[in-house]
């Protein structure tokens, strides 16, 4: 059994739900009656048939701010969340914002964009960008965080609701601990892993300490945290936006691209392009009345 969750907060109509049912039925799926999670916001359609075919057919729907998540029904309520930070749990890329303080934002942001699209190696891109920040005062890190970093809408509600229902949550970032630590605390993550900048005499040296948190480290974190809790990967949710998130997204039971770059969107089970992070609560079957508001 599978479930397709249609999400169009404040704009989901019965006609749109009916179109989804008709599309599934016309392509050979055995479709049940729809169920409103929150009327006008999100609805479930349970069906039997082909997961791949259903995703392909429903992707053809064109109704503006409509996100669709199609997945197996039985294990949709996840017990482990592994989340990227930059442009996922927060609204910015921290290294790009740091670069602005050095007058290098355009140069460094161009490298970031190529790395997130998977056009260049993440490790090499990280070393190049951090190298350009050598000599920056350590105090600029806190200044940048306070002035530029904002939580993505729904971040706290997503994490706090999942935790209230027994899930474990980990923030794993290719960014930097002076940002990731406070973000993890503000959102309520149980654990945080990120890169450590080398600082000597109150200034960045332009180096990142080993081990580097890259795509392989993110995948390893997903696998080790699931194993530590005796969870099959089917019980895990991974979310990110860039190419370095692809291994964990493809390995998780539900891999989500959040406002993703094309490579991450192609790899993900579903992409959230229009809504905030609370869309992932509807995707797990949580109606709004069960949310822990952040």
């Amino acid at each position: 059994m599978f479930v397709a969750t249609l999400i169009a907060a404040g704009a989901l109509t019965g006609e749109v739900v009916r179109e989804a049912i008709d599309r599934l039925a016309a392509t050979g799926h055995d479709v049940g009656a729809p169920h409103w999670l929150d009327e006008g916001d999100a609805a479930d359609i349970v069906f039997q048939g082909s997961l791949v075919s259903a995703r392909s057919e429903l992707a053809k729907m064109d109704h503006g701010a409509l996100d669709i998540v199609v997945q197996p029904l039985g294990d949709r309520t996840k017990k482990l969340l592994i989340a990227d930070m930059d442009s996922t749990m927060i609204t910015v890329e921290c290294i790009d914002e740091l670069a602005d303080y050095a007058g290098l934002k355009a140069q460094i942001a161009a490298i970031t964009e190529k790395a997130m699209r998977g056009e260049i190696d993440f490790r090499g891109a990280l070393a190049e960008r951090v190298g350009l920040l050598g000599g920056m005062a350590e105090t600029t890190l806190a200044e940048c965080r306070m002035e530029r970093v904002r939580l993505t809408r729904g971040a706290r509600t997503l994490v706090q609701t999942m935790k209230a229902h027994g899930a474990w949550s980990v923030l794993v970032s290719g960014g930097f601990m002076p940002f990731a630590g406070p973000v993890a605390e503000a959102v309520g993550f149980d654990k945080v892993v990120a890169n450590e900048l080398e600082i000597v005499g109150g200034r960045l040296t332009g180096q990142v300490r080993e081990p580097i948190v890259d795509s392989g480290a993110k995948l390893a974190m997903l696998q080790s945290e699931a194993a530590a809790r005796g969870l099959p990967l089917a019980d895990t949710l991974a979310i990110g936006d860039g190419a370095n998130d692809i291994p964990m997204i493809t390995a998780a039971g539900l891999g989500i691209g959040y406002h993703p770059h094309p490579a991450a969107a192609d790899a993900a089970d579903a992409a959230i392009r229009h809504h905030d992070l609370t869309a992932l609560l509807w995707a797990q079957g949580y109606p709004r009345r069960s949310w822990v508001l952040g």
Side-chain angles (χ1 to χ4, degrees):
M1 297 284 285
F2 303 103
V3 59
T5 305
L6 278 58
I7 302 164
L12 186 61
T13 66
E15 289 77 12
V16 173
V17 175
R18 173 50 57 185
E19 179 187 337
I21 291 171
D22 291 345
R23 283 180 175 273
L24 289 171
T27 48
H29 299 86
D30 183 7
V31 188
H35 167 69
W36 285 103
L37 289 163
D38 286 298
E39 191 163 358
D41 293 329
D44 280 343
I45 302 169
V46 175
F47 66 94
Q48 297 186 59
S50 165
L51 181 64
V52 172
S53 171
R55 284 175 175 166
S56 176
E57 183 61 29
L58 294 179
K60 299 174 184 177
M61 295 180 67
D62 183 13
H63 291 281
L66 175 66
D67 289 320
I68 302 175
V69 180
V70 186
Q71 62 183 313
L73 176 62
D75 47 17
R76 70 188 296 202
T77 304
K78 305 306 182 185
K79 296 303 181 185
L80 172 63
L81 169 66
I82 306 289
D84 174 46
M85 181 178 70
D86 294 81
S87 297
T88 303
M89 287 290 152
I90 61 175
T91 61
V92 297
E93 293 285 334
C94 290
I95 194 165
D96 294 354
E97 299 307 314
L98 273 178
D100 199 22
Y101 286 79
L104 297 170
K105 186 169 184 177
Q107 181 179 352
I108 286 182
I111 301 169
T112 300
E113 181 68 16
K114 289 181 179 179
M116 292 302 98
R117 292 199 303 256
E119 296 175 2
I120 56 177
D121 173 68
F122 175 80
R123 277 177 164 262
L126 180 65
E128 181 179 0
R129 289 174 293 167
V130 173
L132 291 170
L133 298 179
M136 176 177 282
E138 180 182 7
T139 55
T140 305
L141 300 174
E143 183 181 357
C144 178
R145 176 175 55 81
M146 290 186 289
E147 292 182 351
R148 303 290 182 91
V149 174
R150 299 293 181 268
L151 299 182
T152 300
R153 284 190 60 187
R156 278 187 53 81
T157 299
L158 171 64
V159 172
Q160 294 297 328
T161 300
M162 290 185 67
K163 287 177 64 175
H165 290 85
W168 181 259
S169 60
V170 182
L171 183 67
V172 57
S173 174
F176 311 119
M177 276 301 298
F179 296 93
V183 167
E185 183 177 0
V187 175
F189 281 93
D190 295 299
K191 183 174 181 177
V192 56
V193 179
N195 287 306
E196 295 279 4
L197 292 164
E198 185 178 79
I199 298 171
V200 175
R203 294 192 176 274
L204 278 63
T205 67
Q207 301 292 321
V208 183
R209 296 186 184 278
E210 294 286 346
I212 301 297
V213 180
D214 58 8
S215 62
K218 290 186 174 189
L219 172 60
M221 182 60 59
L222 169 71
Q223 294 169 330
S224 64
E225 291 294 319
R229 282 152 190 80
L231 297 173
L233 290 180
D235 284 343
T236 67
L237 166 62
I239 179 171
D241 72 299
N244 64 323
D245 299 309
I246 288 175
M248 73 174 186
I249 283 174
T250 56
L254 180 61
I256 296 291
Y258 185 72
H259 296 255
H261 294 271
D266 290 344
D269 295 313
I272 302 301
R273 302 183 187 277
H274 305 290
H275 297 90
D276 66 31
L277 289 167
T278 58
L280 298 183
L281 294 174
W282 281 315
Q284 293 179 79
Y286 292 114
R288 189 180 275 108
R289 65 178 178 274
S290 69
W291 297 1
V292 178
L293 299 180

